[in-house]
Amino acid sequence: MITIKDIAKEANVSEGTVDRVLHNRSGVSTKTKEKVKKIIKKYNFKTNPIASALALKKKFKIAYLIPKYDEQNVFWKFPAMGITKACEEVENYGVIIEKFTFDQFNSLSYLKEFSKLIKGEPDVVVLVPMFKEETIEITKKLESLNLPYIFMNINLEGYNNFSFIGQDSYKSGFVAGKLMCLSLKEETTCLTIQTRSNISNYLAISKRIEGFNDYISSNNIKITNLNLTINLDNLALVKKELNNLLEENQKIKGVYVPSSRVGIISDLIEKNKIKTLHIIGFDTTEKNVKGLENNTIKFLISQKAFNQGYESVLMMSDFLLYKKIPPKKVYSPIQIIIKENVEFYEPNKRSF
């Protein structure tokens, strides 16, 4: 007997999408709706109202602990969008999503939001382990309550999370190092710009820097790498400091920003200086894409952040509804985005 899962597989859509078509709910494109309807008709599929009613009696809760986003930290908008989109697809199966957001520069905010989260008695927890010491405290609490948890975006080792979804930060930094070395001549200088002081506590960034430096050193490439740590709270001061540094050291031909703030930084560099620079950063935020289109940013490395949020909801829903154990690691792609291919990237995120 054919099931909703079989129809979803044949149509190459999610089970939630099939359910929406069956119950004539919004949120499905006309093209997808017609494709699913043809398969339903082909197999003469009928829903079982009794089974549906029983399914709705059982409610499951997935709780998210993720960073807030704002104009300077817009990256986290996209996983949040993915979570919201997936929520629409699983709600009819009795899966409830709760999001708790914290200040990514404030470890106390991280702990405070977790305290709120745990009071809601979730069935599983998805968290972005931004702060290592505090994550130890949080995971001990989860384990004492026998609550399954997974990490999203940042992969800390030595914990009992049963899955991770996100990019391999070290390898993405390694790729960035290769791109920089292909762009620069030897005997030049590259500037790595960090935008937070507690870099050792922010694993994804530190791993990207490690991978970048390892590519240069392991290939014996004669490029000097300088480091600069800045505070984006005072952009006028950063602009002056950065342009003075570029003026004093004109051998700097590459700028590596191991975060989504590359667009903010490229905007601070004077036009007469930026023409000679090869700037590489991460993530396809609106400002970063504009930098590509204006030729102020050479490469962006993206990880499909929208999909991290979206896929994590579906993965955890499958676990709760069907006891399907997810893979230990679900890696996001390491995609190199340039001016010429950016318009074809992540159409689902833009349309949503």
Side-chain angles (χ1 to χ4, degrees):
M1 182 177 70
I2 192 166
T3 64
I4 288 178
K5 188 174 184 178
D6 297 325
I7 294 171
K9 186 175 181 181
E10 185 167 334
N12 195 28
V13 298
S14 71
E15 293 173 43
T17 298
V18 176
D19 187 79
R20 296 178 84 84
V21 174
L22 284 167
H23 295 93
N24 198 29
R25 284 187 286 269
S26 61
V28 182
S29 69
T30 302
K31 185 178 178 180
T32 299
K33 190 181 294 184
E34 290 304 317
K35 180 169 66 173
V36 172
K37 281 184 175 180
K38 283 182 181 179
I39 298 170
I40 291 170
K41 185 176 180 181
K42 181 172 74 172
Y43 293 107
N44 193 28
F45 177 83
K46 304 289 184 184
T47 57
N48 184 337
I50 297 174
S52 298
L54 288 172
L56 290 174
K57 287 183 179 179
K58 175 62 176 174
K59 301 292 184 181
F60 294 103
K61 185 183 291 184
I62 305 173
Y64 277 80
L65 184 60
I66 62 174
K68 297 176 183 177
Y69 61 86
D70 54 35
E71 288 185 5
Q72 289 193 0
N73 305 288
V74 74
F75 169 82
W76 294 104
K77 176 181 179 179
F78 303 119
M81 288 167 60
I83 292 166
T84 300
K85 177 62 177 174
C87 182
E88 296 174 3
E89 299 189 13
V90 301
E91 61 185 356
N92 295 309
Y93 292 90
V95 178
I96 301 167
I97 309 297
E98 287 191 345
K99 282 187 290 187
F100 297 84
T101 58
F102 62 89
D103 180 349
Q104 62 179 299
F105 299 100
N106 187 335
S107 59
L108 293 178
S109 170
Y110 182 54
L111 291 174
K112 183 179 178 181
E113 290 303 310
F114 174 73
S115 295
K116 294 179 184 177
L117 176 155
I118 210 68
K119 289 176 182 176
E121 299 182 348
D123 295 288
V124 295
V125 175
V126 181
L127 68 147
V128 178
M130 190 73 73
F131 303 96
K132 287 193 284 188
E133 293 302 318
E134 290 74 13
T135 298
I136 292 173
E137 182 179 338
I138 285 173
T139 54
K140 281 183 178 177
K141 178 66 174 179
L142 292 173
E143 289 164 17
S144 71
L145 297 171
N146 292 316
L147 272 178
Y149 62 94
I150 72 168
F151 290 155
M152 186 172 74
N153 190 261
I154 299 172
N155 187 22
L156 295 182
E157 300 292 344
Y159 292 79
N160 296 317
N161 55 303
F162 72 100
S163 187
F164 160 75
I165 183 166
Q167 195 174 66
D168 186 318
S169 299
Y170 175 86
K171 286 186 178 178
S172 67
F174 202 82
V175 169
K178 186 169 187 176
L179 290 172
M180 186 65 77
C181 291
L182 289 172
S183 300
L184 301 183
K185 296 178 181 179
E186 292 199 11
E187 309 295 343
T188 57
T189 299
C190 175
L191 177 66
T192 296
I193 300 179
Q194 303 171 16
T195 59
R196 51 167 68 229
S197 56
N198 59 333
I199 193 69
S200 63
N201 207 25
Y202 190 29
L203 190 70
I205 300 297
S206 60
K207 282 293 182 182
R208 286 173 182 171
I209 294 172
E210 182 184 349
F212 182 86
N213 293 337
D214 281 357
Y215 180 85
I216 295 173
S217 61
S218 64
N219 288 276
N220 297 316
I221 297 170
K222 296 178 181 178
I223 292 176
T224 303
N225 193 19
L226 302 179
N227 291 283
L228 175 67
T229 300
I230 59 176
N231 186 344
L232 292 179
D233 290 341
N234 190 335
L235 292 181
L237 181 63
V238 172
K239 182 175 183 178
K240 182 179 179 180
E241 179 184 0
L242 181 56
N243 284 288
N244 284 344
L245 176 62
L246 293 172
E247 184 67 36
E248 293 167 3
N249 193 337
Q250 297 189 17
K251 281 191 173 183
I252 295 175
K253 299 300 179 186
V255 174
Y256 175 51
V257 184
S259 73
S260 60
R261 298 169 186 82
V262 61
I264 297 173
I265 291 168
S266 65
D267 281 353
L268 298 176
I269 300 173
E270 295 168 356
K271 290 183 179 180
N272 65 315
K273 294 181 174 65
I274 206 165
K275 291 178 181 178
T276 63
L277 296 176
H278 297 267
I279 301 179
I280 298 174
F282 287 78
D283 304 313
T284 52
T285 67
E286 185 177 349
K287 184 176 283 291
N288 292 354
V289 168
K290 186 177 180 181
L292 277 182
E293 294 170 344
N294 293 339
N295 297 309
T296 56
I297 296 173
K298 184 73 70 175
F299 299 105
L300 290 173
I301 296 176
S302 191
Q303 55 184 312
K304 288 201 169 182
F306 178 95
N307 284 20
Q308 287 182 21
Y310 180 82
E311 296 295 339
S312 64
V313 171
L314 300 186
M315 189 167 71
M316 292 299 91
S317 297
D318 280 347
F319 171 72
L320 293 171
L321 294 168
Y322 311 114
K323 306 303 179 186
K324 183 178 178 181
I325 304 298
K328 187 65 178 172
K329 293 180 180 178
V330 181
Y331 282 123
S332 301
I334 300 174
Q335 295 192 318
I336 300 169
I337 310 299
I338 57 176
K339 179 180 179 179
E340 290 74 16
N341 72 357
V342 68
E343 66 178 299
F344 308 110
Y345 184 71
E346 285 198 319
N348 59 343
K349 179 180 76 179
R350 291 196 297 275
S351 63
F352 179 66

